[in-house]
Amino acid sequence: KAVDHEEAINPDAIFFQDFKEMVGYANEMVSKINEQKKSLKELNLGLEERVKKKTAALLEINKNLEEQKSFSQELLNAQKEFLRYTVHETNTPLSVILTSIELYLMKHPKDRDLSKIEAAAKNIFSIYDDLSYLVKKDHIEYKKTVVNLNNFLSSRIDFFREVAEFSRIRFNYINPDVELHIYFNETKLQRVVDNTLTNAIKYTLPGEDVDVKLIKTGPFIEFLVSSRSKIIEDTRKVFEAYYREEKQKEGFGLGLRLVKSICDEEGVEVRVSSDNEKTTFSYRFKAMGD
C-alpha cells in the first residue's frame, strides 16, 4: 500500500519493536522505489515528447518529398509535352525545306551554297527523327516487317551522300549480289543506320572513304561501317549517354546510346574496334530464313 500510494509507513502504527526497526528499512526501500518510478515517468514523458517531435518532423519531410515528387512529375510531363509539340511542329518546316530544295534542283544547277543548306537540313532531319522516336517509343508498338537490307541501306546512304560530300567524305558501298532480308522494324532500323552513318561522317578524317558493307555469315548478316578516324580510346563508353571523346565536336552523344538501346531490345550484337588504321562499327542481325 505504501508503494502504491507513494507514502512512508508510520512506525508509531507498528506494535512490535522488531517490526518498528524493519519499518526504517521498508521506508528507505519505498523511497528508492518512488524515486525510480518518478525517474521512469520523466524518462517516458521525455521519450514520448521526442517521438512526437520526430514523428512530426518525419511527416513534414514526407510532405515536402510528396510536394517535390509532384512538382518533378509535373515538370517531367511539361517537358514531354513540350518535346512532343516541338517535334510535331518541326516536321512541317523541315519537309518544306527539303521539298523546296528538290523542286529548285529540277530547274537550277546545284551550287555550294545550296549544298550547305541541304546538308544542314538533312542533319536536322536526322536529329528530328531521333527525337520523334524517343517521344513515341513508350507509347506505340513498333511492328516488325520483312526488310530488304540492300535496298534500305542504299536509300539511307543516298540520303546522307550530300552531307558526306560537304564534309569531304565519300561513301564506298558495294551492294551485294545476293538480296539480304531481316525481320525488323524499319523505324528502329533507320535509327541504327542513320546514327552510325552520321557518326562516321562526323569523325572520319577529311578526304577519306567510309566503307559500308553487308556480309552474310552463317545465319547472320553483318552491317559494317569502317573509316579512318582518331582512335577511340575506350570503345565501351561510346554508347554511353552524353559521352564524347572529342569534346569540340557538336552534339549530345545521345545517338549511339539510342542505337545501343535498340540493339539490346532486338538482340542485335554490336561490336566496335579502333586502331591506327581504321575504326569499325559492326552490327550482327539475324537473317531471314535461317
Side-chain angles (χ1 to χ4, degrees):
K1 182 181 178 183
V3 172
D4 292 340
H5 292 82
E6 298 183 1
E7 60 185 25
I9 301 171
N10 183 5
D12 295 333
I14 305 301
F15 181 76
F16 294 104
Q17 182 61 34
D18 290 343
F19 287 173
K20 287 187 180 213
E21 292 178 5
M22 292 174 63
V23 165
Y25 298 111
N27 282 342
E28 187 177 348
M29 291 172 62
V30 169
S31 177
K32 290 288 184 184
I33 291 171
N34 288 336
E35 286 178 10
Q36 289 178 351
K37 285 172 68 177
K38 184 179 179 182
S39 297
L40 287 171
K41 191 174 183 179
E42 290 174 353
L43 179 62
N44 189 48
L45 288 172
L47 285 172
E48 286 181 359
E49 187 63 28
R50 277 185 282 178
V51 168
K52 285 180 181 178
K53 288 181 179 179
K54 192 68 175 177
T55 303
L58 288 172
L59 288 172
E60 184 66 24
I61 291 171
N62 188 57
K63 180 183 175 183
N64 291 335
L65 286 173
E66 286 295 327
E67 289 176 355
Q68 290 174 14
K69 180 183 176 182
S70 178
F71 175 76
S72 298
Q73 190 60 49
E74 289 175 5
L75 191 64
L76 185 61
N77 291 337
Q79 184 183 23
K80 286 181 178 179
E81 286 303 313
F82 172 76
L83 194 56
R84 285 195 191 98
Y85 174 81
T86 303
V87 168
H88 177 73
E89 293 300 315
T90 304
N91 182 47
T92 301
L94 274 177
S95 299
V96 170
I97 291 170
L98 289 177
T99 303
S100 298
I101 291 172
E102 290 175 2
L103 292 173
Y104 181 87
L105 289 174
M106 291 179 182
K107 302 176 182 178
H108 305 87
K110 183 179 289 189
D111 57 34
R112 182 165 177 78
D113 289 333
L114 189 63
S115 295
K116 287 181 182 179
I117 296 171
E118 186 176 9
K122 287 183 175 179
N123 274 328
I124 296 172
F125 217 101
S126 181
I127 295 170
Y128 161 82
D129 283 338
D130 279 347
L131 290 174
S132 180
Y133 174 79
L134 287 170
V135 167
K136 297 175 183 177
K137 71 183 184 71
D138 294 326
H139 305 284
I140 66 173
E141 180 185 358
Y142 287 96
K143 295 183 178 179
K144 297 180 181 181
T145 58
V146 178
V147 180
N148 184 314
L149 203 50
N150 311 58
N151 296 340
F152 188 90
L153 192 52
S154 294
S155 69
R156 300 320 298 163
I157 289 174
D158 287 340
F159 182 84
F160 287 108
R161 198 177 298 280
E162 192 73 32
V163 182
E165 289 175 358
F166 182 72
S167 300
R168 293 186 291 155
I169 304 296
R170 295 177 302 274
F171 282 121
N172 180 25
Y173 171 60
I174 301 174
N175 204 328
D177 295 332
V178 60
E179 290 191 348
L180 303 173
H181 297 84
I182 60 173
Y183 190 61
F184 215 85
N185 175 264
E186 287 198 10
T187 299
K188 289 186 175 183
L189 182 60
Q190 185 172 324
R191 302 305 354 109
V192 173
V193 172
D194 285 11
N195 276 294
T196 304
L197 294 179
T198 55
N199 189 72
I201 293 170
K202 187 183 296 184
Y203 290 100
T204 298
L205 299 175
E208 295 290 339
D209 288 352
V210 176
D211 295 322
V212 183
K213 298 178 183 178
L214 286 176
I215 301 174
K216 181 75 162 56
T217 309
F220 299 100
I221 299 171
E222 280 195 84
F223 163 49
L224 300 102
V225 177
S226 305
S227 64
R228 285 194 65 226
S229 66
K230 288 187 178 180
I231 296 176
I232 299 175
E233 299 298 337
D234 194 339
T235 56
R236 293 171 299 177
K237 286 188 175 182
V238 293
F239 292 105
E240 292 181 4
Y242 309 110
Y243 178 77
R244 287 180 295 129
E245 288 202 347
E246 294 187 46
K247 302 301 180 184
Q248 69 273 21
K249 293 287 186 182
E250 295 180 356
F252 298 104
L254 292 174
L256 290 180
R257 178 69 189 92
L258 177 59
V259 167
K260 186 64 166 60
S261 68
I262 291 173
C263 290
D264 288 345
E265 289 170 7
E266 301 299 332
V268 178
E269 182 184 344
V270 184
R271 288 179 292 180
V272 181
S273 61
S274 185
D275 54 33
N276 288 319
E277 292 299 320
K278 62 181 178 180
T279 295
T280 301
F281 282 75
S282 169
Y283 304 90
R284 178 175 280 197
F285 297 87
K286 185 76 170 62
M288 280 284 294
D290 290 291

